[in-house]
PDB file of all heavy atoms in Angstrom:
ATOM      1  N   GLU A 499     -43.470  23.524  -9.391  1.00  0.00           N
ATOM      2  CA  GLU A 499     -43.982  24.857  -8.892  1.00  0.00           C
ATOM      3  C   GLU A 499     -43.309  25.200  -7.538  1.00  0.00           C
ATOM      4  O   GLU A 499     -42.986  26.368  -7.251  1.00  0.00           O
ATOM      5  CB  GLU A 499     -45.480  24.800  -8.810  1.00  0.00           C
ATOM      6  CG  GLU A 499     -46.034  24.570 -10.170  1.00  0.00           C
ATOM      7  CD  GLU A 499     -47.681  24.673 -10.136  1.00  0.00           C
ATOM      8  OE1 GLU A 499     -48.132  24.774  -9.066  1.00  0.00           O
ATOM      9  OE2 GLU A 499     -48.273  24.573 -11.227  1.00  0.00           O
ATOM     10  N   SER A 500     -43.390  24.288  -6.591  1.00  0.00           N
ATOM     11  CA  SER A 500     -42.843  24.499  -5.208  1.00  0.00           C
ATOM     12  C   SER A 500     -41.371  24.296  -5.047  1.00  0.00           C
ATOM     13  O   SER A 500     -40.805  24.575  -4.072  1.00  0.00           O
ATOM     14  CB  SER A 500     -43.623  23.560  -4.205  1.00  0.00           C
ATOM     15  OG  SER A 500     -45.005  23.843  -4.274  1.00  0.00           O
ATOM     16  N   ASP A 501     -40.738  23.783  -6.159  1.00  0.00           N
ATOM     17  CA  ASP A 501     -39.277  23.369  -6.151  1.00  0.00           C
ATOM     18  C   ASP A 501     -38.962  22.420  -4.923  1.00  0.00           C
ATOM     19  O   ASP A 501     -38.173  22.863  -4.144  1.00  0.00           O
ATOM     20  CB  ASP A 501     -38.440  24.773  -6.309  1.00  0.00           C
ATOM     21  CG  ASP A 501     -37.036  24.428  -6.624  1.00  0.00           C
ATOM     22  OD1 ASP A 501     -36.803  23.284  -7.248  1.00  0.00           O
ATOM     23  OD2 ASP A 501     -36.111  25.187  -6.154  1.00  0.00           O
ATOM     24  N   CYS A 502     -39.689  21.397  -4.804  1.00  0.00           N
ATOM     25  CA  CYS A 502     -39.348  20.462  -3.692  1.00  0.00           C
ATOM     26  C   CYS A 502     -39.725  19.047  -4.171  1.00  0.00           C
ATOM     27  O   CYS A 502     -40.180  18.850  -5.290  1.00  0.00           O
ATOM     28  CB  CYS A 502     -40.234  20.854  -2.433  1.00  0.00           C
ATOM     29  SG  CYS A 502     -42.069  20.676  -2.732  1.00  0.00           S
ATOM     30  N   TYR A 503     -39.621  18.200  -3.151  1.00  0.00           N
ATOM     31  CA  TYR A 503     -39.832  16.655  -3.452  1.00  0.00           C
ATOM     32  C   TYR A 503     -40.805  16.233  -2.524  1.00  0.00           C
ATOM     33  O   TYR A 503     -40.443  15.714  -1.466  1.00  0.00           O
ATOM     34  CB  TYR A 503     -38.571  15.898  -3.410  1.00  0.00           C
ATOM     35  CG  TYR A 503     -37.437  16.305  -4.407  1.00  0.00           C
ATOM     36  CD1 TYR A 503     -36.251  16.837  -3.849  1.00  0.00           C
ATOM     37  CD2 TYR A 503     -37.551  16.219  -5.743  1.00  0.00           C
ATOM     38  CE1 TYR A 503     -35.282  17.188  -4.846  1.00  0.00           C
ATOM     39  CE2 TYR A 503     -36.644  16.528  -6.687  1.00  0.00           C
ATOM     40  CZ  TYR A 503     -35.482  17.104  -6.215  1.00  0.00           C
ATOM     41  OH  TYR A 503     -34.381  17.434  -7.092  1.00  0.00           O
ATOM     42  N   PRO A 504     -42.139  16.302  -2.650  1.00  0.00           N
ATOM     43  CA  PRO A 504     -43.096  15.753  -1.715  1.00  0.00           C
ATOM     44  C   PRO A 504     -43.058  14.193  -1.713  1.00  0.00           C
ATOM     45  O   PRO A 504     -42.870  13.661  -2.672  1.00  0.00           O
ATOM     46  CB  PRO A 504     -44.396  16.240  -2.369  1.00  0.00           C
ATOM     47  CG  PRO A 504     -44.092  17.411  -3.242  1.00  0.00           C
ATOM     48  CD  PRO A 504     -42.762  16.998  -3.784  1.00  0.00           C
ATOM     49  N   VAL A 505     -43.150  13.672  -0.356  1.00  0.00           N
ATOM     50  CA  VAL A 505     -43.229  12.124  -0.282  1.00  0.00           C
ATOM     51  C   VAL A 505     -44.568  11.707  -0.457  1.00  0.00           C
ATOM     52  O   VAL A 505     -45.493  12.249   0.237  1.00  0.00           O
ATOM     53  CB  VAL A 505     -42.452  11.823   1.047  1.00  0.00           C
ATOM     54  CG1 VAL A 505     -42.760  10.284   1.307  1.00  0.00           C
ATOM     55  CG2 VAL A 505     -41.103  12.186   1.299  1.00  0.00           C
ATOM     56  N   THR A 506     -44.764  10.605  -1.297  1.00  0.00           N
ATOM     57  CA  THR A 506     -46.100  10.104  -1.548  1.00  0.00           C
ATOM     58  C   THR A 506     -46.257   8.742  -0.779  1.00  0.00           C
ATOM     59  O   THR A 506     -47.430   8.295  -0.575  1.00  0.00           O
ATOM     60  CB  THR A 506     -46.315   9.988  -3.025  1.00  0.00           C
ATOM     61  OG1 THR A 506     -45.354   9.048  -3.540  1.00  0.00           O
ATOM     62  CG2 THR A 506     -46.312  11.229  -3.650  1.00  0.00           C
ATOM     63  N   GLU A 507     -45.261   8.028  -0.392  1.00  0.00           N
ATOM     64  CA  GLU A 507     -45.409   6.699   0.141  1.00  0.00           C
ATOM     65  C   GLU A 507     -44.082   6.327   0.960  1.00  0.00           C
ATOM     66  O   GLU A 507     -43.095   6.852   0.570  1.00  0.00           O
ATOM     67  CB  GLU A 507     -45.504   5.610  -0.907  1.00  0.00           C
ATOM     68  CG  GLU A 507     -45.809   4.189  -0.442  1.00  0.00           C
ATOM     69  CD  GLU A 507     -45.928   3.323  -1.575  1.00  0.00           C
ATOM     70  OE1 GLU A 507     -45.945   3.642  -2.704  1.00  0.00           O
ATOM     71  OE2 GLU A 507     -46.151   2.120  -1.188  1.00  0.00           O
ATOM     72  N   ARG A 508     -44.316   5.615   2.054  1.00  0.00           N
ATOM     73  CA  ARG A 508     -43.270   5.345   2.924  1.00  0.00           C
ATOM     74  C   ARG A 508     -43.313   3.689   3.005  1.00  0.00           C
ATOM     75  O   ARG A 508     -44.294   3.060   3.373  1.00  0.00           O
ATOM     76  CB  ARG A 508     -43.171   5.909   4.238  1.00  0.00           C
ATOM     77  CG  ARG A 508     -43.100   7.438   4.240  1.00  0.00           C
ATOM     78  CD  ARG A 508     -43.182   8.107   5.761  1.00  0.00           C
ATOM     79  NE  ARG A 508     -43.198   9.405   5.577  1.00  0.00           N
ATOM     80  CZ  ARG A 508     -42.069  10.270   5.549  1.00  0.00           C
ATOM     81  NH1 ARG A 508     -40.969   9.691   5.532  1.00  0.00           N
ATOM     82  NH2 ARG A 508     -42.346  11.603   5.519  1.00  0.00           N
ATOM     83  N   LYS A 509     -42.133   3.075   2.797  1.00  0.00           N
ATOM     84  CA  LYS A 509     -41.991   1.612   2.892  1.00  0.00           C
ATOM     85  C   LYS A 509     -41.000   1.255   3.870  1.00  0.00           C
ATOM     86  O   LYS A 509     -39.854   1.669   3.792  1.00  0.00           O
ATOM     87  CB  LYS A 509     -41.650   1.053   1.607  1.00  0.00           C
ATOM     88  CG  LYS A 509     -42.767   1.091   0.471  1.00  0.00           C
ATOM     89  CD  LYS A 509     -43.870   0.079   0.689  1.00  0.00           C
ATOM     90  CE  LYS A 509     -43.506  -1.324   0.293  1.00  0.00           C
ATOM     91  NZ  LYS A 509     -44.473  -2.224   0.449  1.00  0.00           N
ATOM     92  N   ASP A 510     -41.317   0.387   4.930  1.00  0.00           N
ATOM     93  CA  ASP A 510     -40.576   0.031   5.844  1.00  0.00           C
ATOM     94  C   ASP A 510     -39.587  -1.169   5.334  1.00  0.00           C
ATOM     95  O   ASP A 510     -39.710  -1.491   4.192  1.00  0.00           O
ATOM     96  CB  ASP A 510     -41.152  -0.646   7.097  1.00  0.00           C
ATOM     97  CG  ASP A 510     -40.343  -0.656   8.291  1.00  0.00           C
ATOM     98  OD1 ASP A 510     -39.133  -0.231   8.294  1.00  0.00           O
ATOM     99  OD2 ASP A 510     -40.934  -0.991   9.407  1.00  0.00           O
ATOM    100  N   TRP A 511     -38.639  -1.645   6.119  1.00  0.00           N
ATOM    101  CA  TRP A 511     -37.599  -2.640   5.633  1.00  0.00           C
ATOM    102  C   TRP A 511     -38.376  -3.822   5.143  1.00  0.00           C
ATOM    103  O   TRP A 511     -39.281  -4.462   5.768  1.00  0.00           O
ATOM    104  CB  TRP A 511     -36.663  -3.095   6.690  1.00  0.00           C
ATOM    105  CG  TRP A 511     -35.721  -1.932   7.019  1.00  0.00           C
ATOM    106  CD1 TRP A 511     -35.768  -1.060   7.991  1.00  0.00           C
ATOM    107  CD2 TRP A 511     -34.516  -1.709   6.435  1.00  0.00           C
ATOM    108  NE1 TRP A 511     -34.614  -0.322   8.083  1.00  0.00           N
ATOM    109  CE2 TRP A 511     -33.794  -0.649   6.984  1.00  0.00           C
ATOM    110  CE3 TRP A 511     -33.864  -2.245   5.215  1.00  0.00           C
ATOM    111  CZ2 TRP A 511     -32.698  -0.193   6.613  1.00  0.00           C
ATOM    112  CZ3 TRP A 511     -32.707  -1.848   4.898  1.00  0.00           C
ATOM    113  CH2 TRP A 511     -32.048  -0.838   5.475  1.00  0.00           C
ATOM    114  N   HIS A 512     -38.110  -4.339   3.971  1.00  0.00           N
ATOM    115  CA  HIS A 512     -38.698  -5.454   3.367  1.00  0.00           C
ATOM    116  C   HIS A 512     -37.677  -6.015   2.260  1.00  0.00           C
ATOM    117  O   HIS A 512     -36.716  -5.385   1.666  1.00  0.00           O
ATOM    118  CB  HIS A 512     -39.984  -5.121   2.652  1.00  0.00           C
ATOM    119  CG  HIS A 512     -39.840  -4.247   1.531  1.00  0.00           C
ATOM    120  ND1 HIS A 512     -39.568  -2.813   1.706  1.00  0.00           N
ATOM    121  CD2 HIS A 512     -40.035  -4.472   0.090  1.00  0.00           C
ATOM    122  CE1 HIS A 512     -39.592  -2.301   0.523  1.00  0.00           C
ATOM    123  NE2 HIS A 512     -39.735  -3.163  -0.405  1.00  0.00           N
ATOM    124  N   LEU A 513     -37.951  -7.381   1.863  1.00  0.00           N
ATOM    125  CA  LEU A 513     -37.060  -7.940   0.890  1.00  0.00           C
ATOM    126  C   LEU A 513     -37.710  -7.966  -0.462  1.00  0.00           C
ATOM    127  O   LEU A 513     -38.914  -8.274  -0.530  1.00  0.00           O
ATOM    128  CB  LEU A 513     -36.848  -9.531   1.334  1.00  0.00           C
ATOM    129  CG  LEU A 513     -35.889 -10.318   0.339  1.00  0.00           C
ATOM    130  CD1 LEU A 513     -34.555  -9.736   0.312  1.00  0.00           C
ATOM    131  CD2 LEU A 513     -35.999 -11.782   0.764  1.00  0.00           C
ATOM    132  N   LEU A 514     -37.126  -7.478  -1.554  1.00  0.00           N
ATOM    133  CA  LEU A 514     -37.664  -7.401  -2.765  1.00  0.00           C
ATOM    134  C   LEU A 514     -37.669  -8.900  -3.333  1.00  0.00           C
ATOM    135  O   LEU A 514     -36.971  -9.725  -3.085  1.00  0.00           O
ATOM    136  CB  LEU A 514     -36.673  -6.568  -3.762  1.00  0.00           C
ATOM    137  CG  LEU A 514     -36.469  -5.072  -3.521  1.00  0.00           C
ATOM    138  CD1 LEU A 514     -35.658  -4.397  -4.343  1.00  0.00           C
ATOM    139  CD2 LEU A 514     -37.843  -4.429  -3.330  1.00  0.00           C
TER     140      LEU A 514
END
Side-chain angles (χ1 to χ4, degrees):
E499 295 182 359
S500 302
D501 194 23
C502 63
Y503 300 115
V505 176
T506 60
E507 184 183 357
R508 300 181 185 274
K509 291 282 289 186
D510 202 357
W511 287 97
H512 64 285
L513 181 66
L514 298 181

